Amino acid sequence: MRNSLLFLLVVLLLSGCIPRSRTDIPAFSGTLVDSISGVPLGGASINEQADPAAEGWTPQSLRTEDDGRFNYPALTSGTVYQLPAPGAGWPVSRTMIFHKEGYRDTTCRCTNMSLFGKENEAVIPLVRIDQSELSTEEPLLLHLSDSIVCQAFVGSQVLYQDTLYLIGEIYRQGQYDGNPLLLTLRSVPPNEGGIVLAVEDYRVQLAPPVQPAEE
């Protein structure tokens, strides 16, 4: 039996295939912070979802540590023999819903390919309710990294053409749901400098604040 397994392994290696663990639900870790000050937010509740949900998987509800940290390891199952290729497999996602008293509830989604086995970490900014005006449109999903997107609201800090702005308004051009969401951006600090109008959401990136240095 052992000789048969060794023979099979040699055949697979010679054919260019390599063994990989299949990722059913990607890893997702990071630090939850105030969107403006960068102060870590401890004690925030996190509820998770997955798409597709692995068989027998149970969502975990956690709270962030005192330093704002959270950690959800990847869920992997089985070994797949695959030709070397980046981003192979099919998309698997893990969605986190962050809740902290005094802040807007914020949903973030991490998406990887099932055979990529990538670690995912981000600084997740939450917007204070008193700094965020309600928009008539749904919040945007903007990129924090190549694999992580989070909701952005009026008052969220964003990067556009390498410059930091605040979202001033979220609206649609026309009355149809299929029309793209557009933004107005205010300079930071507000009311200093001009306003960029009609920026399509895919050209804007959510900007996590730099965490304050430890004393």
Side-chain angles (χ1 to χ4, degrees), residues 16-18 20 82-86 88:
C17 292
I18 58 173
R20 273 188 165 172
Q82 172 233 351
L83 288 170

Side-chain angles (χ1 to χ4, degrees), residues 4 13 36 83:
S4 299
L13 290 175
I36 301 299
L83 288 170

Side-chain angles (χ1 to χ4, degrees), residues 157-174:
Q157 290 192 122
V158 296
L159 287 172
Y160 175 64
Q161 295 183 346
D162 298 323
T163 303
L164 190 64
Y165 293 94
L166 292 175
I167 295 178
E169 184 184 5
I170 301 173
Y171 65 99
R172 291 186 189 275
Q173 190 173 38

